[in-house]
């Protein structure tokens, strides 16, 4: 009975308000809200830093008064792909299997709903880059020595180098052979002879075994020779070790800290 009376009263209310010249919005209706979305992530997104080649686990924090869904590349997984309201999503980026960096993109879409009186749509993108597989090869320690020896006839100086380095290689033999085409040692020298100063770059082929995990020694004491004259000299100013992949040549180590 009370319900019927209320219904009749609501039907008559506009007529009564009109008769007395009163206009107002009804308080029986919930006000609509605009959709609000804020997304943050621990995935590095600047130009210099990249996700490591072996991937990792990251978090995506969503703050919203609507519902959301997320789209990811095939090599990235999330513990939840849709939901309502605030959420923390765990994202796992897989270990890369190719040389050269790759670009990833996560798209988070949020939307309001009539049932929650939220209006609007929004789309946020998280873009990042992941290192290539070549970054699994790292030289962690290196000492380089520049050698100089006078020949028995005192006519020439023989110059060379001795390089000792420790390498960390997380690749399988199959991955190494598939990815690395060549291995090089680069040396950069300055020379002076009869007051003429010049420089040069020399490239020497190494073996893939020089990339195996552990400590290696590269040595050549008769790399260059220069006539024994006043003012003549040769200086080793930089060495580098590089690998060649289908994407080109990448240096895995370079130093100017050379013991004379």
């Amino acid at each position: 009975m009370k319900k019927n009376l209320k219904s009749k009263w609501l039907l008559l209310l506009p007529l009564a308000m009109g008769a007395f010249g009163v206009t107002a919005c009804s308080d029986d209706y919930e006000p609509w809200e605009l959709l609000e979305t804020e997304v943050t992530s621990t995935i590095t997104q600047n130009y210099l830093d990249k996700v490591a080649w072996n991937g990792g686990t990251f978090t995506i924090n969503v703050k919203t008064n609507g519902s959301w869904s997320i789209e990811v590349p095939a090599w990235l997984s999330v513990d939840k792909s849709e939901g309502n309201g605030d959420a923390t999503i765990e994202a796992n980026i897989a270990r890369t299997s190719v040389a050269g960096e790759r670009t990833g993109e996560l798209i988070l879409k949020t939307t309001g709903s009539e049932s929650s009186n939220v209006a609007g749509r929004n789309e946020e993108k998280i873009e990042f880059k992941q290192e290539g597989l070549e970054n699994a090869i790292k030289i962690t320690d290196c000492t380089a020595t520049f050698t100089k020896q006078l020949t028995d006839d005192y006519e020439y100086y023989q110059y060379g180098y001795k390089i000792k380095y420790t390498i960390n290689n997380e690749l399988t033999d199959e991955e190494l052979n598939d990815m690395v085409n060549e291995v090089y040692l680069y040396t950069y020298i300055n020379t002076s002879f009869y007051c003429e100063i010049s420089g040069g770059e020399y490239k020497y082929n190494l073996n893939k075994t020089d990339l195996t995990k552990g400590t290696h020694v590269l040595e050549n004491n008769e790399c260059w020779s220069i006539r024994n004259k006043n003012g003549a000299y040769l200086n080793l100013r930089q060495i580098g070790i590089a690998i060649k992949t289908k994407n080109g040549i990448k240096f895995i180590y370079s130093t100017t800290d050379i013991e004379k």
Side-chain angles (χ1 to χ4, degrees), residues 10-214:
L10 290 173
L11 290 171
L12 293 171
L13 182 60
L15 296 175
M17 293 174 66
F20 288 99
V22 179
T23 59
C25 294
S26 172
D27 292 335
D28 292 339
Y29 296 95
E30 293 288 338
W32 282 77
E33 299 178 35
L34 291 178
L35 178 68
E36 296 180 357
T37 304
E38 181 182 348
V39 182
T40 58
S41 173
T42 59
I43 301 174
T44 181
Q45 297 171 65
N46 60 58
Y47 177 78
L48 295 176
D49 296 330
K50 300 177 180 65
V51 175
W53 64 272
N54 56 350
T57 301
F58 305 87
T59 57
I60 302 166
N61 297 304
V62 181
K63 289 186 177 181
T64 183
N65 56 350
S67 59
W68 58 268
S69 63
I70 189 168
E71 300 174 4
V72 299
W75 40 273
L76 190 154
S77 62
V78 290
D79 64 344
K80 52 181 81 74
S81 59
E82 59 183 9
N84 289 286
D86 297 350
T88 299
I89 306 167
E90 186 177 277
N92 188 275
I93 298 176
R95 179 186 192 273
T96 187
S97 59
V98 295
E101 65 184 33
R102 59 183 177 181
T103 300
E105 182 181 78
L106 295 85
I107 302 175
L108 190 129
K109 299 178 179 179
T110 52
T111 182
S113 66
E114 186 175 352
S115 61
S116 57
N117 286 57
V118 176
R121 294 178 182 274
N122 187 60
E123 183 175 290
E124 299 280 347
K125 292 183 180 181
I126 297 176
E127 297 177 325
F128 63 94
K129 292 184 178 181
Q130 184 178 20
E131 293 177 334
L133 193 61
E134 68 275 9
N135 287 275
I137 307 172
K138 295 184 184 295
I139 292 179
T140 58
D141 184 44
C142 180
T143 58
T145 303
F146 183 48
T147 62
K148 176 182 177 181
Q149 184 177 356
L150 193 60
T151 58
D152 293 338
D153 58 8
Y154 300 99
E155 284 292 316
Y156 290 89
Y157 275 105
Q158 297 287 352
Y159 295 89
Y161 60 82
K162 181 178 181 180
I163 304 167
K164 183 179 180 181
Y165 62 94
T166 301
I167 197 164
N168 185 26
N169 187 346
E170 301 296 331
L171 298 177
T172 65
D173 292 341
E174 182 179 1
E175 286 174 327
L176 178 64
N177 290 326
D178 287 345
M179 184 185 70
V180 179
N181 297 326
E182 301 286 347
V183 187
Y184 305 122
L185 169 69
Y186 283 85
T187 61
Y188 303 87
I189 64 170
N190 284 336
T191 59
S192 174
F193 192 64
Y194 289 120
C195 298
E196 293 185 4
I197 299 176
S198 61
E201 173 189 287
Y202 294 83
K203 182 176 74 173
Y204 305 93
N205 284 359
L206 302 178
N207 299 311
K208 289 185 181 181
T209 54
D210 293 316
L211 296 180
T212 56
K213 191 173 184 177

